[in-house]
Amino acid sequence: MDIKEFSDLMIEYGKEINMVFTEEQLQKFYQYMNLLIEWNEKINLTAIVEPKEIIVKHFIDSLTIVQYIKPNESVIDIGTGAGFPGIPIKIVREDLQITLLDSLNKRIKFLDEMINVLNLKNINAIHARIEEYGKNKQYRETYDVATSRAVANLATLSEYMLPMVKVKGRAICMKGSDVSDEIFKSKNAVKILGGEIVDIQNFTLPKSDYKRNLIFIEKKRNTPNKYPRKAGIPAKEPL
């Protein structure tokens, strides 16, 4: 796909979520897409490799939470994988301080390359398991926003996210189409971890039948020190 076709699609789909892109931003997204496809031939970063699908299911999807992040906030993207949603957010919001966290070092190498090639500032990629990173007093309860896309069920995800968020901060969980059962099963975990589900937004991605949900959890109280539990336990034994 050439840059003109790519830009036209980004502009068209961006309008659907009230996003307007600069030429520089479009160029960065285009570089991002091409590098993602190139690197994906060497390491498994994404099952989505068709340009139009990357635009809708990676770029536009990632940008659906931009409107909910305030100026100059700090954001941690947990289990970022190939950089979603963190890098697309950073491309359009230079004011934000973003941390990309992933447990696979080969993904971190890709993210470092992307940050360098796109000349992004105030964004860093960290190789760590969230269960260990969340215990580090230097970072624990220091972020305004934690977000994550398609990483785990909501009860497990809450144990990953809420320890990282400061009181009065929030977690924005990016989910697929059916979340009612997850929400019901996560209520105990969210409460124990100091949070409260305050809003749920559902929508369909532009020019697709891809249904999405955003679940907003506000941090009301400090998370007890014993959370997150040791690696693997939040996934095996959700609260």
Side-chain angles (χ1 to χ4, degrees):
M1 180 180 285
D2 64 29
I3 182 69
K4 185 182 185 308
E5 184 182 358
F6 173 85
S7 297
D8 287 346
L9 286 172
M10 283 288 291
I11 291 166
E12 180 184 353
Y13 296 153
K15 286 178 182 175
E16 300 280 334
I17 60 167
N18 298 313
M19 290 293 306
V20 177
F21 304 109
T22 66
E23 286 297 323
E24 183 182 2
Q25 289 167 353
L26 290 170
Q27 184 65 45
K28 286 182 177 180
F29 277 114
Y30 188 62
Q31 285 180 283
Y32 189 3
M33 180 186 74
N34 288 327
L35 271 172
L36 176 64
I37 293 168
E38 181 185 324
W39 272 69
N40 203 61
E41 293 176 0
K42 298 179 284 184
I43 63 172
N44 183 26
L45 292 167
T46 177
I48 299 167
V49 293
E50 198 275 316
K52 191 173 180 181
E53 295 267 291
I54 289 173
I55 292 171
V56 176
K57 294 184 178 179
H58 281 330
F59 295 165
I60 298 298
D61 186 33
S62 293
L63 295 173
T64 56
I65 68 170
V66 168
Q67 62 184 305
Y68 304 108
I69 304 174
K70 299 170 188 173
N72 303 307
E73 285 194 312
S74 57
V75 181
I76 181 167
D77 176 10
I78 297 168
T80 186
F84 305 115
I87 290 181
I89 291 170
K90 185 62 191 180
I91 290 172
V92 301
R93 289 286 301 277
E94 293 183 0
D95 60 296
L96 302 176
Q97 173 67 52
I98 293 182
T99 297
L100 307 172
L101 190 80
D102 202 88
S103 61
L104 237 64
N105 196 46
K106 61 184 180 181
R107 292 188 192 131
I108 298 300
K109 289 179 180 177
F110 167 75
L111 296 171
D112 284 338
E113 173 79 359
M114 287 306 312
I115 290 167
N116 182 54
V117 168
L118 300 181
N119 194 29
L120 301 177
K121 308 298 183 186
N122 296 317
I123 179 171
N124 61 324
I126 293 177
H127 176 224
R129 290 191 69 102
I130 185 59
E131 297 98 332
E132 296 159 4
Y133 190 76
K135 290 285 192 182
N136 189 320
K137 291 180 181 179
Q138 184 178 350
Y139 307 112
R140 181 184 177 87
E141 296 192 318
T142 61
Y143 294 92
D144 297 302
V145 177
T147 190
S148 191
R149 198 179 73 130
V151 166
N153 69 71
L154 191 57
T156 300
L157 196 55
S158 298
E159 190 168 349
Y160 294 160
M161 301 173 85
L162 286 172
M164 304 313 306
V165 177
K166 61 180 72 169
V167 174
K168 296 186 179 178
R170 60 216 180 277
I172 306 175
C173 311
M174 306 180 73
K175 286 286 183 180
S177 57
D178 186 12
V179 294
S180 53
D181 188 51
E182 274 194 61
I183 290 169
F184 177 76
K185 290 179 178 178
S186 72
K187 284 184 177 179
N188 184 55
V190 171
K191 185 177 180 180
I192 289 171
L193 296 160
E196 179 185 323
I197 296 174
V198 293
D199 196 16
I200 301 160
Q201 299 280 344
N202 54 76
F203 57 93
T204 302
L205 287 174
K207 306 293 191 293
S208 76
D209 57 1
Y210 195 54
K211 298 186 184 303
R212 301 288 284 152
N213 280 271
L214 301 178
I215 302 167
F216 298 84
I217 304 173
E218 193 169 295
K219 183 79 168 275
K220 301 291 189 180
R221 305 173 303 282
N222 293 103
T223 300
N225 288 332
K226 64 180 178 179
Y227 302 110
R229 292 167 291 168
K230 289 183 179 179
I233 295 177
K236 290 178 185 174
E237 302 172 18
L239 293 172

